[in-house]
Amino acid sequence: MNKTRQPQAALKTVSAAVLVSALLLSACSNGGNEGAASPKQDAEGGKTTLNIMTQSSALAPADPNEKLIFKRLEEKTNVHINWKNFTRDVFVEKRNLAMASGDLPDAIFDAGYGDYELLKLAKDGAIIPLNELIETQMPNLKKVLEEAPAYKSMMTAPDGNIYAFPWIEELGSGKERIQAVDAVPWINVEWLKKLGLDMPKTTGELKKALIAFKTQDPNGNGQADEIPLSFINKPGAEDLVFLFASFGLGENPDHAVVTNDGKVVFTPAEEDYKNAVKYIHELYEEGLIDVEAYTQDWSTYLAKGKDQKYGLYFSWDKSNITGANDSYDVMPPVAGPSGEINVTRTNALGFHRGRTVVTSTNRNLEATAKWMDQMYDPIQSVQNNWGTYGDETQQNIFEFDEASNSLKHLPLNGTAPVELREKTSVAGPLAILDSYYGKFTTVPDDAKERLRIVKEVMVPHMKAENVMPSVFNSIDELDALTTIETDLFAYVLRMRTEWYQNGKIDEQWDDYLKELDRLGLPKWMEIKQAGYDRATQK
């Protein structure tokens, strides 16, 4: 298992939702049929055809039907999918335009919708409730929800309806779940060894090591081309905020940390956050930070990683950036100025509500439900998530044991896990429960190593007993949250980036806190705390 580059649950702009809402009115008032191609029976073979929109990696075939997973599924279900597929960089725009135009597909697979979008689309009549379809036509999904009933509550909107098929991925539990930490710091241990340095144990020692990486030519080529520290300056596994926990509560992509007495904290308003930002500025002042860190994308980050230019970087799995070699190893969490060591637990990974929706123009709901239900067959879910077996045209991630009806992970042989998955997996809705390992599939080697890192390196320093659960807020709450977060989160990132470079956080802190309040932080805190209390008091 490794983390795919999925959209995180997501801040979505109000303007997009308003556009969808406004343009849907005419389509929905006419039953939503104008311009929509209805499913039909193929003249040859009696197959049902469904029109489905999706997204995929640029590494994958442009036509998803070329993927062996979907070829097998068509043979099994007698359902042919007429795909409208877009690469991830343009998918959200194309998805929103399609929904706004009223020329709707039958479903959107791997839709990536946030909660606010789901409820707005449902309110506007663009997507339908799925409760009855799940109950009457989807035995595989029902079985998942019987084994893990908490997910049914998480899928269900405050109005009692289920509007999307979810993505569920378990491995481990509690503090030891594989998603308990998002970003992992990877340090160049070859450079440490060459320069006679020990693994850093404090923020001070880390700074000294990075200075040595910059000034002492650890790659031995006589050029000052080493990059002591690199990251991607936005929420995700490539951000450097793992280091913030050395100064206190730490930071999360959604800016929420829950204290041990159940209080939701907005981390960028905390004093320890300010101290962490000041530390990053110290590194910037020494010229230790990659000059492209504030603007680079995944491909740029990856290219430099493959060239082994980094002293320290952040990622879910080093194999995806610098390869499955011994040049880099995990850097254990370092103690901050107080001497305390902390690892911030990441919130609500391993579950996404809005993975696939069915539109109101769909005229073959039974066939759609039965096809979607196959996604929750354990063997199908495992392939959706990782890739498949028996493909004679490219590297396989599994071999299939027919006797035990199980999939065994094959060695990657140096291939980056994320690259192989993006070529062959199909994402979309799925469920992989903890009970599936050893029964329907094996634990991949990269996941075994990550579980070891989490258990042995991270868990001993996780001070938090609570995390923010996956709360399904009401549409009124989501309307407020979306409006607030659009400006609030952008402001936080902008100011953090400026302070990394100009170091003026002390002088500007009081005005910054006032601006957070003006942008709606008190209301945000109220909604988040109420959601946490509801979710944990059930």
Side-chain angles (χ1 to χ4, degrees), residues 2-6 54-71 83 85 88 109-110 167 169 355 375 379-389 391 394-398 409 416-430 432:
N2 79 290
K3 183 181 180 184
T4 51
R5 296 185 56 74
Q6 303 288 356
T54 193
Q55 62 175 314
S56 68
S57 166
L59 298 176
D63 180 1
N65 283 323
E66 293 180 18
K67 290 186 175 182
L68 186 54
I69 291 175
F70 282 136
K71 288 180 180 179
W83 293 103
N85 179 42
R88 290 180 185 147
F109 187 91
D110 201 12
W167 170 81
E169 185 182 15
R355 191 49 62 100
M375 304 301 141
I379 294 298
Q380 181 70 38
S381 280
V382 170
Q383 293 177 83
N384 280 17
N385 198 44
W386 279 291
T388 194
Y389 63 93
D391 192 332
Q394 60 184 332
Q395 183 177 349
N396 290 284
I397 203 159
F398 292 112
H409 282 86
V418 70
E419 288 185 15
L420 187 53
R421 289 179 78 171
E422 292 200 345
K423 288 177 182 177
T424 62
S425 66
V426 302
L430 59 87
I432 300 175

Side-chain angles (χ1 to χ4, degrees), residues 299-314:
S299 59
T300 305
Y301 193 64
L302 176 62
K304 291 181 289 187
K306 286 187 173 180
D307 288 342
Q308 310 280 295
K309 287 183 176 292
Y310 299 144
L312 177 71
Y313 72 94
F314 300 83

Side-chain angles (χ1 to χ4, degrees), residues 269-289:
E270 294 296 297
E271 193 73 16
D272 54 42
Y273 176 95
K274 180 171 75 169
N275 292 331
V277 172
K278 290 168 72 172
Y279 174 72
I280 304 305
H281 173 66
E282 290 178 18
L283 304 184
Y284 176 84
E285 284 278 273
E286 295 283 352
L288 306 177
I289 291 178

Side-chain angles (χ1 to χ4, degrees), residues 413-451:
N413 296 325
T415 302
V418 70
E419 288 185 15
L420 187 53
R421 289 179 78 171
E422 292 200 345
K423 288 177 182 177
T424 62
S425 66
V426 302
L430 59 87
I432 300 175
L433 304 181
D434 241 355
S435 62
Y436 290 9
Y437 299 99
K439 182 177 182 182
F440 297 113
T441 188
T442 53
V443 178
D445 289 342
D446 56 303
K448 289 177 184 175
E449 174 60 11
R450 185 175 169 86
L451 286 171

Side-chain angles (χ1 to χ4, degrees), residues 347-421:
N347 297 323
L349 287 174
F351 174 78
H352 182 235
R353 256 185 292 273
R355 191 49 62 100
T356 292
V357 296
V358 177
T359 71
S360 56
T361 59
N362 188 310
R363 296 293 175 261
N364 203 331
L365 294 177
E366 182 176 334
T368 302
K370 289 182 176 178
W371 187 84
M372 292 291 181
D373 191 50
Q374 289 303 309
M375 304 301 141
Y376 295 99
D377 173 86
I379 294 298
Q380 181 70 38
S381 280
V382 170
Q383 293 177 83
N384 280 17
N385 198 44
W386 279 291
T388 194
Y389 63 93
D391 192 332
E392 297 179 358
T393 66
Q394 60 184 332
Q395 183 177 349
N396 290 284
I397 203 159
F398 292 112
E399 62 180 9
F400 180 60
D401 185 333
E402 193 169 347
S404 63
N405 188 39
S406 65
L407 294 161
K408 178 183 177 182
H409 282 86
L410 294 169
L412 290 169
N413 296 325
T415 302
V418 70
E419 288 185 15
L420 187 53
R421 289 179 78 171

